[in-house]
Amino acid sequence: MTTTAMTAGALAAPARPRLTRWLLRLHRPALSVWTALVLAAAALLLLLHGPLTDAAAEGWRQYNHCAFNASCTYDQKAILRYKDWYNYATLTVCALPFLVAAWAGGALIGGELESGTARLAWAQSSTPVRWLTVRLAVPAVAVTVGAGLLAWLHQLAWSAGRGRIDTASPWYDLFTFHANGPTIVALTLAGLAAGALAGLLLRRTLPALGLALLLTGAVCVATQALLPHLWPALGRTGPGYFYSPSGSWQVSGREIADQYHVTYHPYSHFWPLQLTTTALVLAMTALLTLACFLVLRRLTGKAAPR
């Protein structure tokens, strides 16, 4: 091998690691904010799993013991404190797809294309395809780890209050369901892909941010509309009007002659619904990712890495 060829090979070899280092340095503030957000939410969920749930459960025990005794007291503040902080934690976890989408559309892709940083990378050390691959793969790792940790801790916190706190959110509550399992990880990855697509389409920070939020919202709406039908629901029929069994999610109810029929998902359907919904969202994420590369190909005319 000639000296010239060896020198060219040495210069080309570190291109891939350099792209990752450049990405991490360029978006270090976003990584710091993401880490701080995950740690703060994790700390709150650990408090919910322990002292906040225990105090609220004791408050409900006192309340139920009091019955109709007007002079009896119970720890109402602990009950309300649990409810407030549970809602804050759950909404924070469920906001992750939109936060990631806004960043991906506005800064990661749209901002780099608007400022010319992307074209500088293409000219110096990378093809557009490799550039986009790194900008999707590296954040996807951080998103999966962070959202996965919070989903696990949320499941622990919710389970700690199940059956102990009378006003605890049911498993089928919209926000609780998604925060309690891998669907929130899949939705956050979908937000990343939606944001990248918005950035490639508009190539301007603020418009791309807005479109990223709209695309992510559309994914969430479609997911929620299909969710009840992703696993076979149970049904029961009886005279007059009645509800589904306690603790189950009633999907529909209709009157047939003198009978009333309801369809529902019991709690045992939680994980089947979680896994089928996750698969659905990951499929939509794959389509959004494919669309990103197709738009990039149209934008640059360079489909294959060097």
Side-chain angles (χ1 to χ4, degrees):
M1 183 180 292
T2 64
T3 303
T4 304
M6 292 176 63
T7 303
L11 290 174
R16 192 180 301 272
R18 190 163 59 238
L19 267 179
T20 302
R21 288 198 299 270
W22 189 6
L23 173 66
L24 293 176
R25 292 185 62 181
L26 187 62
H27 295 282
R28 185 181 300 169
L31 179 61
S32 300
V33 170
W34 173 257
T35 303
L37 176 63
V38 170
L39 291 178
L44 175 55
L45 288 168
L46 288 173
L47 287 174
L48 282 168
H49 177 256
L52 291 177
T53 294
D54 292 340
E58 175 61 19
W60 275 109
R61 189 196 66 78
Q62 296 168 358
Y63 176 82
N64 293 326
H65 179 73
C66 287
F68 296 102
N69 186 352
S71 62
C72 186
T73 60
Y74 64 98
D75 194 351
Q76 184 182 29
K77 290 184 178 179
I79 295 173
L80 295 177
R81 189 184 306 117
Y82 168 86
K83 181 179 180 180
D84 288 342
W85 286 109
Y86 177 86
N87 288 336
Y88 297 151
T90 304
L91 290 175
T92 298
V93 175
C94 290
L96 294 181
F98 295 93
L99 295 176
V100 170
W103 169 73
L108 179 66
I109 303 298
E112 289 197 25
L113 287 171
E114 183 177 27
S115 65
T117 305
R119 295 190 180 277
L120 178 63
W122 301 346
Q124 290 187 346
S125 62
S126 173
T127 64
V129 168
R130 186 176 296 169
W131 171 85
L132 180 58
T133 300
V134 171
R135 270 149 185 76
L136 289 176
V138 174
V141 173
V143 161
T144 301
V145 173
L149 173 64
L150 294 184
W152 175 62
L153 291 176
H154 193 282
Q155 171 70 21
L156 290 180
W158 178 83
S159 298
R162 182 174 179 240
R164 301 172 63 200
I165 299 176
D166 292 6
T167 53
S169 296
W171 67 270
Y172 52 84
D173 172 76
L174 170 62
F175 298 108
T176 294
F177 177 85
H178 291 298
N180 261 357
T183 60
I184 196 62
V185 180
L187 286 169
T188 309
L189 289 172
L192 174 64
L197 179 60
L200 289 165
L201 286 171
L202 300 181
R203 300 186 293 282
R204 293 176 58 198
T205 301
L206 291 180
L209 188 155
L211 179 59
L213 294 176
L214 288 176
L215 289 175
T216 305
V219 170
C220 291
V221 170
T223 299
Q224 193 59 29
L226 294 172
L227 192 158
H229 312 290
L230 296 176
W231 193 258
L234 303 182
R236 72 183 208 177
T237 304
Y241 186 83
F242 63 95
Y243 293 96
S244 56
S246 177
S248 63
W249 174 18
Q250 181 169 318
V251 177
S252 65
R254 65 184 186 276
E255 188 174 358
I256 305 174
D258 294 332
Q259 305 289 309
Y260 195 82
H261 180 76
V262 295
T263 58
Y264 62 92
H265 288 291
Y267 178 62
S268 61
H269 286 189
F270 172 77
W271 281 111
L273 287 169
Q274 276 282 341
L275 296 177
T276 52
T277 304
T278 299
L280 170 68
V281 178
L282 289 178
M284 289 191 281
T285 303
L287 291 176
L288 289 169
T289 304
L290 175 61
C292 288
F293 284 97
L294 292 176
V295 172
L296 180 69
R297 181 176 183 175
R298 187 189 65 183
L299 178 65
T300 64
K302 298 177 181 179
R306 290 183 292 198

